[in-house]
Amino acid sequence: MNALNSEGPRRIGYAPGVYDMFHIGHLNILRNSRRACDYLIAGVASDDFSRRAKGKSPVIPLAERLEIVRSIRYVDEAVAEDVPKLEMWERLRFDVIIKGDDWRGTEKGNRLEREFAEVGVEVFYLPYTVHTSSTMLRQALNIELGLRA
């Protein structure tokens, strides 16, 4: 789908993520997502949705993660992601979904590509920032605090 604005059609992108403990990898995703779209919607996984998908709750609450992501200049809109990605597409009607290339060629990435091909949505992969992740930050905090990871 291409929405119209005063300059003509625009390509809407959707960049889903937990965006917990915001770091350079998150910034890279949002900055580089502009290569794939004209209007960027960041889907910030709800606490419950993240817990169900990853088996753990985010450190930073949803309201704060939304505010952080919404404040990034590359993001036009930030929404809570509380349903599977295809249901988010039904709500938002984006043209392209943006994921890290760590999804490419995996079972979940292949499923994502198949599901979105059926509705005409492109999957656009960005390089994954391997040296920093929320999981790594969480592990470092747990070590510092003497907690089990």
Side-chain angles (χ1 to χ4, degrees), residues 22 26-27 30-34 38-42 66-78:
F22 198 88
H26 296 138
L27 184 61
L30 297 171
R31 179 189 309 123
N32 293 328
S33 290
R34 283 305 208 183
D38 303 306
Y39 185 89
L40 180 61
I41 303 170
L66 275 167
E67 186 62 27
I68 290 165
V69 171
R70 189 175 285 128
S71 298
I72 304 300
R73 69 178 174 177
Y74 309 107
V75 175
D76 295 296
E77 185 178 345

Side-chain angles (χ1 to χ4, degrees), residues 13-30:
Y14 182 67
V18 179
Y19 299 106
D20 195 22
M21 295 183 284
F22 198 88
H23 55 75
I24 192 67
H26 296 138
L27 184 61
N28 287 341
I29 287 169
L30 297 171

Side-chain angles (χ1 to χ4, degrees), residues 86 113-121:
L86 202 53
E113 290 177 25
R114 280 192 309 274
E115 289 175 353
F116 278 104
E118 291 179 14
V119 294
V121 172

